[in-house]
Amino acid sequence: MLLGLLAMRKKLKPKNTLTSFKELEDVHIVITGGNSGIGEATAKMLAEKNASVTIGCRTHEKSMNVIEKISQMYPMSPKITYKFLDLSSLRSTKEFVDSLDMKNVDILINNAALWGSPEPLSEDGFEQTFATNYLSHFYLTLLMIQKFNLKRIINVSSGLYYKGEIEPGNLNKLVEVPEKLDKDMYRQLYSTSKLAQIYFARELASRYPDISSVSLHPGLVYTDLARFVKPKSKILSLLGRLLPLIIRTPEEGAATSVFCCLEEELQNGGYYGDCQAETLKPIACDPEVQKRLWDFSLKLVQDKTNSLL
């Protein structure tokens, strides 16, 4: 069994590692979901590169603990700050952007994600996974483009995007809660939201060519992402306890996010993994889906917020 775990670990470990020695002085980065998992590791690694970092999260105490820990690790790094952000609410998303009082933000990392939730609907009445993982990030990004001179937008997607389903003739399905919510459906909803993030990055690249917009996958990483989805058997529970021995650490998962901050030249609209560009599957390359999803998303947030975007 041990040999099997070691073989699986070798297969899942990153193919390439972060090697850049570039510093990020005078660069301000906003990252959503920066108080745990990949987001926390990303914030820590960016602080090590001397970036100024603002994390947007729901939990104040947890976020302040992370900031204190990072500040102790890198006492000479620029300021690390926290602002409240609840991505299940378009109202909170707007308030978050309004609260940002720095002169400029250079890089936005749309990192926060949800897999399964005890609340099926967002504050705005949309299916929770789609609202949190994609739609609020869509709204956040457009607000940030209006307010700041962004240079890069990085969407943390997932290698599971190919299991997503976006039907251009039935986009309303994206915001509706399925009749049956179980483990398989949570995976479907998550995958669909991550597919939408890839399309979003590609359309951003088309509409805002002066901003480098990319999406990426972090690999299979050990985090508390699926904390609301409980194993159905003791065997699955045991396998869950073995995961830290097999899959990537948050730091390994964060490497590609940091790479996309550091790399001089990115493929605008590109998709990255293991600190290099990767080829997308055809499911993420349909221009009709890309355009219709943008128009659909824009109408949703405009109707709910009365915003001019």
Side-chain angles (χ1 to χ4, degrees):
M1 183 176 181
L2 179 59
L3 290 175
L5 291 175
L6 291 173
M8 190 174 295
R9 168 62 180 157
K10 184 177 180 180
K11 183 178 180 180
L12 294 174
K13 71 182 296 188
K15 300 179 183 66
N16 296 289
T17 56
L18 185 65
T19 57
S20 175
F21 293 100
K22 180 181 175 181
E23 294 290 303
L24 292 169
E25 292 182 37
D26 302 320
V27 175
H28 201 118
I29 300 171
V30 169
I31 177 170
T32 64
N35 65 4
S36 65
I38 296 171
E40 178 183 350
T42 303
K44 181 182 70 174
M45 294 163 72
L46 292 172
E48 185 181 8
K49 295 291 185 180
N50 289 314
S52 297
V53 181
T54 298
I55 61 175
C57 309
R58 286 189 302 176
T59 311
H60 178 271
E61 183 177 358
K62 189 175 181 180
S63 300
M64 296 310 296
N65 288 340
V66 167
I67 288 175
E68 182 179 0
K69 181 169 65 175
I70 294 174
S71 298
Q72 289 175 353
M73 293 175 67
Y74 306 108
M76 302 303 293
S77 294
K79 191 174 183 180
I80 303 175
T81 56
Y82 156 76
K83 298 287 187 179
F84 177 81
L85 171 62
D86 180 359
L87 287 165
S88 69
S89 163
L90 294 174
R91 171 189 52 78
S92 176
T93 302
K94 176 67 163 58
E95 290 173 351
F96 170 76
V97 177
D98 289 343
S99 74
L100 299 175
D101 55 5
M102 64 284 292
K103 289 183 179 180
N104 193 44
V105 174
D106 301 282
I107 301 173
L108 170 64
I109 306 178
N110 292 319
N111 167 83
L114 177 71
W115 179 315
S117 171
E119 298 294 334
L121 285 174
S122 72
E123 178 181 287
D124 304 287
F126 303 131
E127 191 282 313
Q128 186 73 272
T129 309
F130 184 79
T132 301
N133 294 1
Y134 166 73
L135 191 61
S136 285
H137 280 124
F138 177 91
Y139 185 40
L140 168 67
T141 301
L142 296 190
L143 291 174
M144 293 286 284
I145 289 174
Q146 286 184 340
K147 185 170 183 177
F148 299 109
N149 182 27
L150 286 175
K151 296 180 177 64
R152 291 193 176 180
I153 299 166
I154 300 167
N155 288 349
V156 181
S157 182
S158 166
L160 286 174
Y161 75 86
Y162 71 94
K163 293 185 177 292
E165 293 182 3
I166 299 177
E167 302 171 30
N170 187 21
L171 293 176
N172 283 324
K173 181 181 177 182
L174 296 171
V175 296
E176 297 170 351
V177 178
E179 291 184 8
K180 183 180 180 181
L181 285 172
D182 57 15
K183 182 182 176 183
D184 291 336
M185 180 53 68
Y186 283 134
R187 182 177 64 178
Q188 177 70 60
L189 294 172
Y190 176 81
S191 301
T192 296
S193 71
K194 292 303 181 178
L195 176 60
Q197 280 191 313
I198 292 173
Y199 273 120
F200 180 36
R202 290 167 63 85
E203 187 65 13
L204 279 169
S206 175
R207 291 173 181 264
Y208 300 94
D210 293 334
I211 304 174
S212 292
S213 300
V214 300
S215 57
L216 64 89
H217 76 84
L220 188 57
V221 182
Y222 184 71
T223 70
D224 65 350
L225 173 66
R227 60 192 177 277
F228 296 118
V229 182
K230 303 300 182 184
K232 292 184 177 181
S233 70
K234 291 183 179 180
I235 294 177
L236 289 176
S237 181
L238 176 61
L239 289 174
R241 294 192 185 110
L242 293 174
L243 281 178
L245 303 175
I246 304 170
I247 61 180
R248 300 181 184 187
T249 66
E251 288 72 23
E252 289 172 331
T256 302
S257 294
V258 178
F259 169 85
C260 288
C261 293
L262 295 170
E263 185 69 5
E264 292 291 342
E265 297 291 335
L266 293 175
Q267 296 178 12
N268 206 2
Y271 176 68
Y272 286 80
D274 288 340
C275 300
Q276 63 183 0
E278 295 190 356
T279 301
L280 285 165
K281 296 180 185 298
I283 193 173
C285 302
D286 186 327
E288 180 185 8
V289 172
Q290 184 173 311
K291 176 65 167 57
R292 288 198 179 190
L293 179 63
W294 176 283
D295 292 342
F296 175 73
S297 305
L298 189 62
K299 187 175 189 307
L300 284 178
V301 297
Q302 285 181 329
D303 288 351
K304 283 291 180 179
T305 65
N306 296 315
S307 298
L308 294 176
L309 298 171

